[in-house]
Amino acid sequence: MKIGIIGLGNVAELHVTALNEIDPTAYVGGWGRTPSKAAAFKERFGGVVYPTPEALLDDPSIDAVVICTNAETHFHFAKEALFARKHVLIEKPICTSTDQIRELEILSRGVNRLCVPSHNYVYAETMQRVRAHIDAGHLGEIVNFWAIYNKRHPAEIGAPDLTMSELMVHHIYCMLYFLGRPERVFATGSNVHFEDPQAHDQLMIIAEYPNGNIANLWGSFSADDCSRDPWSVYFKIIGKNGSSVVPWDTTKFGDARLPFWDDGTYWDSFYQIQKFFIEECLTGKRAPLSSLSDAYDATVIMDAARKSISERRSIDLDFS
């Protein structure tokens, strides 16, 4: 399988590094909006630099495309890739609305091509094994779930909705992977770090389930956890017969020129989703672990959380 990338920024670096480890011939080339950055990307990683996205999509040697542009353009490029009959792996947040996600879902079925959200955390082997233990009943009835993130980001990057759309989406699709759909959410947020006072840098979402299960989703761009056992990225599931935890901060290397750029678990998640996408999904062996339907549900939950913050009340979820 040969892969092209649309959008040659930081996230593309993670994807192409993973591709080169899986198969050094998999990455064909990419397109970037800024020619100088695209040339620098080619110098580091090789491959063709296409003059336009259309030129990349017209290349018959490319089987699948990874969409790594800004979120506002995901829908457009994913549609174009599907019309060109390429399989698509699309970075999060997938689209700006549930209607767009539904349209991609219908289109992908119509052209018989995959369109897969890059919900990379659930592809970690540790996360898959936790899900297997839940499915096997080893933990018993699940009673609560925790997803926790604490990592200081530069104060100047703060913008309204950044923490929700870029961070909490990870927590939400992981919650869906383990527990399925909740029935209501309550959310709150605060600003203690970002320069823009209208930008939340800390968010808490509490999701309630019909069986009494509660999911607790905490995300903060305001500060690092410097304690001995840091909750930098931390998932915990507690059941009546057992519990499981998946921490990060287990492999560290290099310099963190960007937040978490020195964390091996973060890099590994891109390797694991690319390996699954190429070797399992594109060959028809297995379905994606997280689908566009899950991306739709995650968007519904984020919209409800935004409404909850604004109205200071719990919001019932409607997935119709």
Side-chain angles (χ1 to χ4, degrees), residues 65-87:
V65 175
V66 185
I67 309 294
C68 296
T69 54
N70 60 304
E72 290 73 19
T73 63
H74 284 178
F75 177 63
H76 167 74
F77 286 126
K79 278 183 63 177
E80 293 302 306
L82 289 170
F83 281 131
R85 297 192 173 274
K86 310 295 186 184
H87 300 286

Short mmCIF file of all heavy atoms in Angstrom, two decimals, residues 65-87:
data_model
loop_
_atom_site.label_atom_id
_atom_site.label_comp_id
_atom_site.label_asym_id
_atom_site.label_seq_id
_atom_site.Cartn_x
_atom_site.Cartn_y
_atom_site.Cartn_z
N VAL A 65 -4.67 8.23 1.53
CA VAL A 65 -4.22 9.58 1.83
C VAL A 65 -4.44 9.86 3.31
O VAL A 65 -5.48 9.51 3.88
CB VAL A 65 -4.99 10.62 0.99
CG1 VAL A 65 -4.62 12.03 1.39
CG2 VAL A 65 -4.72 10.40 -0.49
N VAL A 66 -3.44 10.48 3.94
CA VAL A 66 -3.58 10.96 5.32
C VAL A 66 -3.82 12.46 5.27
O VAL A 66 -3.03 13.20 4.67
CB VAL A 66 -2.32 10.65 6.16
CG1 VAL A 66 -2.56 11.04 7.62
CG2 VAL A 66 -1.95 9.18 6.06
N ILE A 67 -4.92 12.91 5.87
CA ILE A 67 -5.28 14.34 5.88
C ILE A 67 -4.75 14.96 7.16
O ILE A 67 -5.21 14.65 8.26
CB ILE A 67 -6.80 14.54 5.79
CG1 ILE A 67 -7.40 13.75 4.61
CG2 ILE A 67 -7.13 16.03 5.69
CD1 ILE A 67 -6.96 14.21 3.26
N CYS A 68 -3.76 15.86 7.04
CA CYS A 68 -3.12 16.48 8.20
C CYS A 68 -3.18 17.99 8.15
O CYS A 68 -2.33 18.67 8.74
CB CYS A 68 -1.65 16.03 8.28
SG CYS A 68 -1.39 14.28 8.55
N THR A 69 -4.14 18.54 7.44
CA THR A 69 -4.30 19.99 7.35
C THR A 69 -5.07 20.50 8.57
O THR A 69 -5.42 19.73 9.47
CB THR A 69 -5.05 20.34 6.06
OG1 THR A 69 -6.29 19.60 6.02
CG2 THR A 69 -4.22 20.01 4.83
N ASN A 70 -5.35 21.80 8.60
CA ASN A 70 -6.15 22.35 9.69
C ASN A 70 -7.58 21.82 9.61
O ASN A 70 -8.07 21.46 8.54
CB ASN A 70 -6.13 23.88 9.66
CG ASN A 70 -6.68 24.43 8.37
OD1 ASN A 70 -6.20 24.10 7.30
ND2 ASN A 70 -7.69 25.28 8.47
N ALA A 71 -8.25 21.78 10.76
CA ALA A 71 -9.54 21.11 10.87
C ALA A 71 -10.58 21.67 9.91
O ALA A 71 -11.43 20.93 9.40
CB ALA A 71 -10.05 21.20 12.30
N GLU A 72 -10.52 22.98 9.63
CA GLU A 72 -11.53 23.60 8.77
C GLU A 72 -11.49 23.05 7.34
O GLU A 72 -12.47 23.17 6.60
CB GLU A 72 -11.35 25.11 8.75
CG GLU A 72 -11.70 25.82 10.06
CD GLU A 72 -10.67 25.60 11.16
OE1 GLU A 72 -9.52 25.20 10.82
OE2 GLU A 72 -11.01 25.80 12.33
N THR A 73 -10.36 22.47 6.93
CA THR A 73 -10.23 21.96 5.56
C THR A 73 -10.34 20.45 5.47
O THR A 73 -10.29 19.89 4.37
CB THR A 73 -8.88 22.40 4.95
OG1 THR A 73 -7.81 21.81 5.72
CG2 THR A 73 -8.74 23.91 4.96
N HIS A 74 -10.47 19.76 6.60
CA HIS A 74 -10.52 18.29 6.60
C HIS A 74 -11.64 17.77 5.69
O HIS A 74 -11.44 16.84 4.92
CB HIS A 74 -10.74 17.77 8.02
CG HIS A 74 -9.51 17.83 8.86
ND1 HIS A 74 -9.49 17.44 10.18
CD2 HIS A 74 -8.24 18.22 8.58
CE1 HIS A 74 -8.28 17.61 10.67
NE2 HIS A 74 -7.52 18.08 9.73
N PHE A 75 -12.82 18.35 5.84
CA PHE A 75 -13.98 17.87 5.10
C PHE A 75 -13.74 17.96 3.59
O PHE A 75 -13.98 17.01 2.85
CB PHE A 75 -15.21 18.67 5.51
CG PHE A 75 -16.47 18.33 4.76
CD1 PHE A 75 -17.03 17.07 4.86
CD2 PHE A 75 -17.09 19.28 3.97
CE1 PHE A 75 -18.20 16.75 4.18
CE2 PHE A 75 -18.26 18.98 3.28
CZ PHE A 75 -18.80 17.71 3.39
N HIS A 76 -13.24 19.11 3.15
CA HIS A 76 -13.01 19.32 1.72
C HIS A 76 -12.00 18.31 1.18
O HIS A 76 -12.27 17.65 0.15
CB HIS A 76 -12.50 20.74 1.48
CG HIS A 76 -11.95 20.96 0.11
ND1 HIS A 76 -12.75 21.07 -1.02
CD2 HIS A 76 -10.66 21.07 -0.34
CE1 HIS A 76 -12.00 21.24 -2.08
NE2 HIS A 76 -10.72 21.24 -1.70
N PHE A 77 -10.87 18.17 1.84
CA PHE A 77 -9.83 17.29 1.32
C PHE A 77 -10.23 15.81 1.42
O PHE A 77 -9.90 15.02 0.54
CB PHE A 77 -8.52 17.54 2.04
CG PHE A 77 -7.83 18.81 1.65
CD1 PHE A 77 -7.45 19.75 2.59
CD2 PHE A 77 -7.54 19.07 0.32
CE1 PHE A 77 -6.82 20.92 2.22
CE2 PHE A 77 -6.90 20.25 -0.07
CZ PHE A 77 -6.55 21.18 0.89
N ALA A 78 -10.95 15.46 2.47
CA ALA A 78 -11.41 14.07 2.59
C ALA A 78 -12.39 13.74 1.47
O ALA A 78 -12.35 12.66 0.88
CB ALA A 78 -12.05 13.84 3.95
N LYS A 79 -13.31 14.67 1.17
CA LYS A 79 -14.26 14.45 0.06
C LYS A 79 -13.51 14.28 -1.26
O LYS A 79 -13.81 13.37 -2.04
CB LYS A 79 -15.22 15.64 -0.05
CG LYS A 79 -16.39 15.60 0.90
CD LYS A 79 -17.33 16.77 0.69
CE LYS A 79 -17.97 16.75 -0.68
NZ LYS A 79 -18.94 17.86 -0.87
N GLU A 80 -12.56 15.16 -1.51
CA GLU A 80 -11.81 15.09 -2.76
C GLU A 80 -11.05 13.77 -2.87
O GLU A 80 -10.97 13.16 -3.95
CB GLU A 80 -10.85 16.28 -2.88
CG GLU A 80 -11.53 17.62 -3.03
CD GLU A 80 -12.44 17.68 -4.24
OE1 GLU A 80 -11.95 17.38 -5.35
OE2 GLU A 80 -13.63 18.00 -4.09
N ALA A 81 -10.48 13.32 -1.76
CA ALA A 81 -9.74 12.06 -1.77
C ALA A 81 -10.67 10.88 -2.03
O ALA A 81 -10.34 9.96 -2.78
CB ALA A 81 -9.01 11.88 -0.44
N LEU A 82 -11.85 10.89 -1.43
CA LEU A 82 -12.80 9.80 -1.66
C LEU A 82 -13.32 9.82 -3.09
O LEU A 82 -13.45 8.76 -3.72
CB LEU A 82 -13.96 9.92 -0.66
CG LEU A 82 -13.62 9.59 0.79
CD1 LEU A 82 -14.78 9.97 1.71
CD2 LEU A 82 -13.29 8.11 0.96
N PHE A 83 -13.58 11.01 -3.64
CA PHE A 83 -13.99 11.10 -5.05
C PHE A 83 -12.90 10.55 -5.97
O PHE A 83 -13.19 10.01 -7.04
CB PHE A 83 -14.33 12.54 -5.42
CG PHE A 83 -15.69 12.99 -4.97
CD1 PHE A 83 -15.85 14.20 -4.30
CD2 PHE A 83 -16.82 12.22 -5.23
CE1 PHE A 83 -17.11 14.62 -3.89
CE2 PHE A 83 -18.08 12.64 -4.83
CZ PHE A 83 -18.22 13.85 -4.15
N ALA A 84 -11.64 10.71 -5.54
CA ALA A 84 -10.52 10.18 -6.31
C ALA A 84 -10.30 8.69 -6.04
O ALA A 84 -9.34 8.11 -6.54
CB ALA A 84 -9.25 10.96 -5.99
N ARG A 85 -11.18 8.12 -5.24
CA ARG A 85 -11.15 6.69 -4.88
C ARG A 85 -9.87 6.30 -4.14
O ARG A 85 -9.28 5.26 -4.38
CB ARG A 85 -11.37 5.82 -6.12
CG ARG A 85 -12.75 6.04 -6.74
CD ARG A 85 -13.11 5.02 -7.79
NE ARG A 85 -14.51 5.20 -8.22
CZ ARG A 85 -15.57 4.68 -7.63
NH1 ARG A 85 -15.39 3.90 -6.57
NH2 ARG A 85 -16.79 4.89 -8.09
N LYS A 86 -9.50 7.18 -3.21
CA LYS A 86 -8.42 6.87 -2.29
C LYS A 86 -9.02 6.56 -0.92
O LYS A 86 -10.02 7.16 -0.51
CB LYS A 86 -7.46 8.06 -2.14
CG LYS A 86 -6.97 8.68 -3.43
CD LYS A 86 -6.11 7.74 -4.25
CE LYS A 86 -5.53 8.46 -5.46
NZ LYS A 86 -4.76 7.56 -6.35
N HIS A 87 -8.43 5.63 -0.21
CA HIS A 87 -8.77 5.45 1.19
C HIS A 87 -8.24 6.65 1.97
O HIS A 87 -7.27 7.29 1.56
CB HIS A 87 -8.15 4.16 1.74
CG HIS A 87 -8.60 2.92 1.03
ND1 HIS A 87 -9.86 2.39 1.21
CD2 HIS A 87 -7.97 2.11 0.14
CE1 HIS A 87 -9.98 1.29 0.47
NE2 HIS A 87 -8.86 1.10 -0.19
#
